[in-house]
Amino acid sequence: MRALRGLSLVLGITLLLMPVASAAPVLGDLQFQREGGDEMAAAFPPSIFPHWVHRVRYRCDACHDSLFPMSRGEVEISMKILAEGKACGACHDGTEAFDDSFQNCSRCHRPLD
Amino acid sequence: MASQASNPAPVAAEPSAGGAPPAEVGQSQAEQLPPPPIEAILSWEQAQAELPGHAMGGVDWNEALEQDIIRPRHGTDSNAAQAPSFDLDFYIKGPSKAMDAWFPHSAHTQWLSCENCHGSIYRYRQQELKMADLYAGKSCGACHGKVAFPVTQCKRCHIDM
């Protein structure tokens, strides 16, 4: 679905997505990048992952390394995997945290601010 | 935080005479207390205003724990296995005393389990630890600069520098 080890194309999209993101990035805020780029990215950005929101609530070992490795782009994450209750879906299920219903898409799919 | 300060958490080791059931083994106090007010905040600007800053910049996350502003959980399962707290704090020898690096297990095991480091990142002793690896995002740099305070804050590790 996505690989971070990707291409100036991906970089181009990233820059396009967040022209001022380098101004004051929050330490640990990530944005996923999709393998081979994504034509829709400007209109519907890949998901973000803000570490700070999560570390206010959880220790690192709530996620690492059982749900995610401490690296980027090594495991596959997609909406299908979320819907199976894996990866983000282990929590974003409507009980522990908001789910993937339509009013919530843009809480994850937005540019990094 | 004043309300919490005036209502200190019970000491788990002293079962109260009042007959309250003792805490279940494997459950931390963090999981028995309600979530702290900061968990209602989703804006970084607002959260940052609640979190203690560090003199060298950024949030001082261990101070936030100390002040009970955050109570990070082990996971969604409130009975999840507890990582033991581990107070083995020491200096990692450098080429000179001023270059020694402070490594507090205590500051790390509040967040991390042993397996997060021992296994993938470190053996237990006598490895070659070098700044060059940190700058390359390895060793301590696997976290510092990505999620934990950055490598540019030299004196947080090189206390005597």
Side-chain angles (χ1 to χ4, degrees):
Chain A
M1 288 278 93
R2 83 215 143 80
L4 297 159
R5 213 146 299 122
L7 315 163
S8 52
L9 177 66
V10 175
L11 199 74
I13 288 166
T14 314
L15 293 175
L16 211 126
L17 270 178
M18 19 172 209
V20 290
S22 54
V26 181
L27 186 62
D29 273 10
L30 316 175
Q31 181 138 36
F32 290 99
Q33 293 174 14
R34 292 181 194 150
E35 204 160 47
D38 177 2
E39 286 180 8
M40 292 295 291
F44 191 78
S47 178
I48 59 164
F49 179 79
H51 264 97
W52 74 265
V53 172
H54 294 90
R55 78 180 289 190
V56 157
R57 296 166 170 76
Y58 306 101
R59 292 166 46 106
C60 320
D61 60 6
C63 292
H64 297 298
D65 297 323
S66 55
L67 295 175
F68 311 98
M70 278 195 197
S71 58
R72 301 192 62 180
E74 279 177 27
V75 293
E76 187 177 323
I77 307 178
S78 66
M79 292 313 290
K80 186 168 170 285
I81 285 170
L82 264 64
E84 288 166 3
K86 292 186 261 179
C88 325
C91 297
H92 288 276
D93 58 359
T95 309
E96 178 77 10
F98 62 89
D99 65 9
D100 63 353
S101 54
F102 278 101
Q103 72 273 20
N104 291 330
C105 310
S106 59
R107 294 179 71 174
C108 292
H109 292 280
R110 59 178 151 110
L112 273 182
D113 37 34
Chain B
M1 294 299 107
S3 61
Q4 274 142 28
S6 63
N7 182 16
V11 180
E14 308 266 340
S16 74
E24 235 178 83
V25 178
Q27 239 184 333
S28 78
Q29 292 186 2
E31 275 138 1
Q32 293 159 17
L33 294 168
I38 193 167
E39 293 195 14
I41 298 176
L42 285 171
S43 124
W44 170 244
E45 282 68 33
Q46 287 172 35
Q48 208 180 11
E50 300 296 319
L51 292 163
H54 191 276
M56 286 179 226
V59 171
D60 189 336
W61 287 100
N62 286 336
E63 185 61 24
L65 287 172
E66 192 74 28
Q67 294 181 16
D68 200 31
I69 294 168
I70 56 172
R71 290 183 209 123
R73 299 175 282 279
H74 285 265
T76 55
D77 176 4
S78 60
N79 290 315
Q82 296 293 298
S85 83
F86 192 59
D87 295 339
L88 180 62
D89 298 354
F90 50 78
Y91 285 97
I92 299 171
K93 279 265 166 295
S96 70
K97 175 95 181 56
M99 294 291 108
D100 285 354
W102 176 234
F103 181 77
H105 268 97
S106 55
H108 291 90
T109 52
Q110 303 186 92
W111 293 100
L112 295 151
S113 61
C114 318
E115 298 78 37
N116 287 138
C117 289
H118 293 297
S120 51
I121 307 178
Y122 296 109
R123 297 195 309 270
Y124 284 95
R125 50 171 51 156
Q126 281 163 6
Q127 32 211 341
E128 297 270 319
L129 292 170
K130 293 192 302 297
M131 251 344 262
D133 293 333
L134 273 72
Y135 291 130
K138 289 185 274 181
S139 183
C140 323
C143 298
H144 289 281
K146 293 176 182 166
V147 175
F149 70 81
V151 174
T152 46
Q153 299 182 342
C154 316
K155 272 182 80 73
R156 289 176 79 169
C157 296
H158 299 291
I159 296 178
D160 301 321
M161 193 180 255

